[in-house]
Amino acid sequence: MVRTSWEFFRKSRQADLVIVNCDVSLAMKLAALYLIFPFWRRPILGHDLVLRKPLTLRARLGLPLKRFLLSRIDHFSLHFRILDGYRKYFGIRPERVSYLPSKPNIRYRYEYKVGPDGEYILCFGRSERDYDTFFEAMTKLADLPAVIPPPNLPAFRKHAARFTWDVNRLPPNVRMVEDDGSVQSLIRIIEKAKVVVLPTLASRIAPSGIGTYLNAMLMGKCVIASHGVATTDVLLEGEALLTPPEDPDALAEMIRRVWEDKELRERTAEAGRKYSEACGGEPELRQRVLDRALEKLRR
């Protein structure tokens, strides 16, 4: 395994295929190097490359170059199916993409309890997470307890999360729970949740929180998420409850409904647990995806 564009470039002579995992910058640097030195070029498979909608002036000015370098990547394997944003902004067409289910990353690695019961409503995460909508929803649910881990505001800005509320002026029924930043600490927080809420921004064009909701589902929790990429196009009916993004009224209504409807909450939690258990652990599926990508590259 190599990690830098130069290491990839040097070892290309020994390779038939280059796979870049998650790192958009590395993939584009490697594409640029192959453009300068075409005799060392090898097909590139970009796996789980998360791209953001170009909202800032800097992002829009850099878009033509980014679009061109991404066009030099031969194939993509992604954890979602709605490709509208990728096609519109980056020219990535569906025929250049293979869908690969994601997986819960705590499975087989950590100890955790499984069960739908808990004490509070939990909202957490950072990638394009919409805390503002969650807080507005909780102001409408004054009798229900909710928690968040202590916010990491620099990380939120880096990952385009929306958190504009003063941490000292959160809704009275929302408190912060102790979190040391470890996976074990987060598992303990999820174990005590009755409902896990993962609202995301309407502007997103890539997955946000897919590993998070799969982990919560794996632990037997009822999950409420937003319609959009990596939820509407990935989840089947019943594994999670979806609401329109950036709609605090709809979110508050759904939270109230599942908090009070034990049968719905437990049914959703069980469907989500079974879905998460089945996700991403099939080596034969992964091999089929890789075989399909290689066949497309050969053509």
Side-chain angles (χ1 to χ4, degrees), residues 172-209:
N173 55 332
V174 178
R175 64 183 176 89
M176 284 188 277
V177 290
E178 186 176 345
D179 177 22
D180 63 15
S182 68
V183 177
Q184 292 89 341
S185 179
L186 185 58
I187 288 173
R188 289 195 296 271
I189 293 171
I190 298 174
E191 285 177 340
K192 295 181 180 180
K194 188 172 182 178
V195 181
V196 174
V197 181
L198 304 171
T200 47
L201 300 176
S203 60
R204 68 190 179 94
I205 61 173
S208 174

Side-chain angles (χ1 to χ4, degrees), residues 50-55 79-86 88-90 126-130 159-162 198-211 213 223-235 240-246:
V50 175
L51 304 171
R52 306 293 185 201
K53 185 177 179 179
L55 297 174
H79 296 314
F80 60 99
R81 292 188 172 101
I82 297 177
L83 299 169
D84 299 12
Y86 273 44
K88 176 180 179 180
Y89 297 106
F90 304 105
R126 57 189 183 184
S127 293
E128 296 182 289
R129 197 74 78 248
D130 185 7
H159 293 274
R162 182 179 294 163
L198 304 171
T200 47
L201 300 176
S203 60
R204 68 190 179 94
I205 61 173
S208 174
I210 186 168
Y213 72 62
V223 172
I224 301 174
S226 302
H227 283 284
V229 175
T231 53
T232 307
D233 56 336
V234 171
L235 296 173
L241 301 170
L242 305 183
T243 61
E246 302 182 30

